[in-house]
């Protein structure tokens, strides 16, 4: 507060630094690009013919590429939970049993929804703070002599723990047991963030939502359906009118693609988001997410100190590139989050494992660049200092180093006098 001149606040007034553009870094909904928001800001056109119908068919043609598949995609007006239900009701029957590979919360939540429709499930838990071990999957499926499991449910990234599973390895594990179960992957938190190859990895059903890696407001559930899942669909008895794939496939009735009125503005938003992904290149999108995640991991490692912060996921190979869960030791995660929000305009994700004061999460999915990332980490670092948390070193500096290593310098301008006004 030293200085020759200082603002005198009115009696009782408290100053906050938060009055710039707020930043919400929660693991979904993610930051929506201005381009997407602007693309959606249009009045309703005729939905029965013309532009909206063409747009719908073009999106159905474009969506398979995002999941790296030749398979058909379905779009529902729903969130991720709706997409879960679409996957279940279209492929399973009452009394079927599914194997849930759990590394946090989400795969079990998915199975609990199936259970309400009469599906039985068994949960195979990974080791604490780690991904599913493929060998455990093989062993459990080999023991399923009667081939009771109709499907294996797994989240590529579990958004609660920030563990990322190796989907290709899980497929190989299922093949090693020669088990016919469908492989259903929840990619809500990872599609458009992590490498994902539906066809090459042998995934039968892929589930995603619009509001995470795909940068569109919540409201679109998406499901990609492989040939084995389509076969199962013919036998499934949980089918319901709203979610039914067959009805939504009728080539002469585009009205049934959404089982009613299409989500027009969301479709414009999705088209714009897919344009942005195409312009950047899907591999570049994945690589950008990897670099951003590495910077966060480096920051937390640098901060870590006895009684202080540490990454939840121990093995770097098991860490998500779209969300990071951080354990705060003796530091109050609630105080940290509340201070970031009220004093700096930065919203961090809260824990959803029941340890709200000992954990927090950073969402780093979708529309994210270094100013947003380093701003987030610098703000956390300042807040840690402000609340007297124990910290080892500068996480912001460690993250900047990771960003520097991934940065290609622009060419230097030619030497000589330069007059920008001439
Ligand atoms: C967010 C999320 C969901 C649920 O999506 P909603 O849109 O909130 O219904 C499911 N699975 C994973 C892995 C998620 O991250």
């Amino acid at each position: 507060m030293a200085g020759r001149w200082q603002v005198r606040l009115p009696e009782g007034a408290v100053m906050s630094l938060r009055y710039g553009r707020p930043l919400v870094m929660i693991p979904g909904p993610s930051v929506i690009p201005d381009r997407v928001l602007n693309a959606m800001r249009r009045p309703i056109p005729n939905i029965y013919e013309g532009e909206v119908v063409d747009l719908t068919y073009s999106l159905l043609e474009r969506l398979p590429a995002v999941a790296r598949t030749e398979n058909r995609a379905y779009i529902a007006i729903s969130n991720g939970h709706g997409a879960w239900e679409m996957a279940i009701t279209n492929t399973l029957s009452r009394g079927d049993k599914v194997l849930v590979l759990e590394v946090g919360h989400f795969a079990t939540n998915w199975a609990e929804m199936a259970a309400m429709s009469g599906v039985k499930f068994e949960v195979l838990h990974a080791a604490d703070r780690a991904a599913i071990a493929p060998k455990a999957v093989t062993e459990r499926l080999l023991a399923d002599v009667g081939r009771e499991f109709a499907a294996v449910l797994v989240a590529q990234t579990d958004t609660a723990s920030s563990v990322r599973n190796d989907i290709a390895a899980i497929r190989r594990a299922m093949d090693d047991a020669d088990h016919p179960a469908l492989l259903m992957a929840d990619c809500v938190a990872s599609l458009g963030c992590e490498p994902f190859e539906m066809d090459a990895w042998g995934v039968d059903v892929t589930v995603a939502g619009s509001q995470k890696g795909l940068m569109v407001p919540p409201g679109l559930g998406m499901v990609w359906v492989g040939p084995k899942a389509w076969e199962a669909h013919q036998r499934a008895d949980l089918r319901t009118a709203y979610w039914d794939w067959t009805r939504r496939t009728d080539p002469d009735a585009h009205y049934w693609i959404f089982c009613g009125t299409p989500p027009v503005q969301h479709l414009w938003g999705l088209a714009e988001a897919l344009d942005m992904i195409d312009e950047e290149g899907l591999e570049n999108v994945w690589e950008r997410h990897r670099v951003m995640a590495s910077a966060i991991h480096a920051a937390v490692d640098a901060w870590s100190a006895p009684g202080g912060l540490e990454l939840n996921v121990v093995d770097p190979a098991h860490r998500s590139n779209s969300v990071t869960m951080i354990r705060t030791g003796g530091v109050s995660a609630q105080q940290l989050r509340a201070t970031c929000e009220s004093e700096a305009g930065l919203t961090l994700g809260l824990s959803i494992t029941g340890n709200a004061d000992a954990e927090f999460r950073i969402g780093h999915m979708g529309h994210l660049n270094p100013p947003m990332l380093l701003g987030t980490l610098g703000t956390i670092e300042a807040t840690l200092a402000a609340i007297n948390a124990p910290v080892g070193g500068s996480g912001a500096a460690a993250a900047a180093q990771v960003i520097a290593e991934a940065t290609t310098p622009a060419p230097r301008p030619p030497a000589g006098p330069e007059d920008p006004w001439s």
Side-chain angles (χ1 to χ4, degrees), residues 27 78-82 84 106 155 157-159 186-189 209 211-212 218:
S78 80
N79 56 18
H81 283 72
W84 275 349
F106 283 85
T157 284
D158 183 273
T159 321
D186 170 351
C187 297
V188 177
Q211 80 274 25
K212 295 185 186 177

Side-chain angles (χ1 to χ4, degrees), residues 53-399:
V53 177
D54 296 344
L55 172 67
T56 299
Y57 284 114
S58 83
L59 286 171
L60 292 176
E61 260 169 45
R62 296 178 74 184
L63 274 177
V66 190
R68 292 300 184 101
T69 178
E70 304 280 316
N71 296 319
R72 178 189 288 276
Y74 292 87
I75 310 174
I77 300 184
S78 80
N79 56 18
H81 283 72
W84 275 349
E85 186 148 311
M86 178 186 257
I88 290 160
T89 54
N90 274 290
T91 55
L92 299 176
S93 297
R94 191 164 290 276
D96 274 354
K97 204 167 148 188
V98 299
L99 180 64
V100 177
L101 308 182
E102 189 54 271
V103 299
H105 277 246
F106 283 85
T108 305
N109 293 347
W110 188 4
E112 281 166 354
M113 284 191 71
M116 276 199 79
S117 305
V119 171
K120 291 178 249 164
F121 69 93
E122 177 181 319
V123 183
L124 181 68
H125 285 278
D128 214 20
R129 303 165 69 176
I132 286 287
K135 237 180 81 193
V137 178
T138 305
E139 276 165 20
R140 182 62 194 90
L141 292 179
L142 280 173
D144 180 28
V145 182
R147 297 297 188 240
E148 279 187 55
F149 290 122
V152 171
L153 270 47
V154 63
Q156 184 179 26
T157 284
D158 183 273
T159 321
S161 63
S162 70
V163 168
R164 180 192 53 202
N165 284 307
D166 184 341
I167 302 295
I170 289 168
R171 170 84 264 171
R172 288 194 296 274
M174 292 172 68
D175 291 346
D176 287 348
D178 199 20
H179 200 289
L182 298 174
L183 175 56
M184 300 207 205
D186 170 351
C187 297
V188 177
S190 53
L191 198 81
C193 308
E194 303 275 1
F196 180 77
E197 304 275 354
M198 180 172 182
D199 289 358
W201 295 353
V203 175
D204 298 301
V205 178
T206 301
V207 172
S210 51
Q211 80 274 25
K212 295 185 186 177
L214 296 182
M215 309 179 287
V216 176
L220 300 180
M222 286 160 242
V223 181
W224 291 257
V225 182
K228 252 178 73 183
W230 186 255
E231 246 173 67
H233 174 64
Q234 311 311 315
R235 304 185 296 269
D237 77 3
L238 291 180
R239 289 166 59 170
T240 60
Y242 182 70
W243 299 116
D244 196 67
W245 287 336
T246 298
R247 195 144 93 129
R248 286 170 178 256
T249 311
D250 185 343
D252 301 318
H254 56 78
Y255 190 68
W256 295 116
I257 290 175
F258 299 102
C259 195
T261 303
V264 181
Q265 276 74 8
H266 276 72
L267 299 181
W268 278 321
L270 180 60
E272 190 69 23
L274 293 179
D275 285 348
M276 291 175 69
I277 290 171
D278 285 348
E279 287 163 24
E280 184 178 355
L282 190 54
E283 285 86 355
N284 292 334
V285 172
W286 296 340
E287 179 62 6
R288 175 168 53 82
H289 279 82
R290 191 193 63 75
V291 171
M292 297 290 167
S294 305
I296 292 175
H297 302 157
V300 180
D301 280 342
W303 285 327
S304 73
L309 275 50
E310 65 171 327
L311 290 164
N312 180 51
V313 185
V314 182
D315 184 339
H318 300 180
R319 290 177 192 154
S320 161
N321 285 331
S322 55
V323 52
T324 297
M325 201 266 256
I326 297 161
R327 301 161 86 96
T328 59
V331 178
S332 166
Q334 308 266 46
Q335 186 187 24
L336 174 68
R337 287 182 44 253
T339 310
C340 282
E341 192 159 68
S342 67
E343 299 304 301
L346 171 66
T347 303
L348 298 169
L350 51 77
S351 161
I352 51 171
T353 67
N355 297 314
D357 204 33
E359 297 168 357
F360 72 98
R361 297 179 299 160
I362 304 175
H364 37 103
M365 44 185 64
H367 194 52
L368 184 69
N369 63 9
M372 297 161 76
L373 182 86
L374 294 171
T376 298
L377 295 171
T379 301
I380 294 171
E381 184 158 315
T383 306
L384 288 169
I387 64 174
N388 286 314
V391 273
S394 173

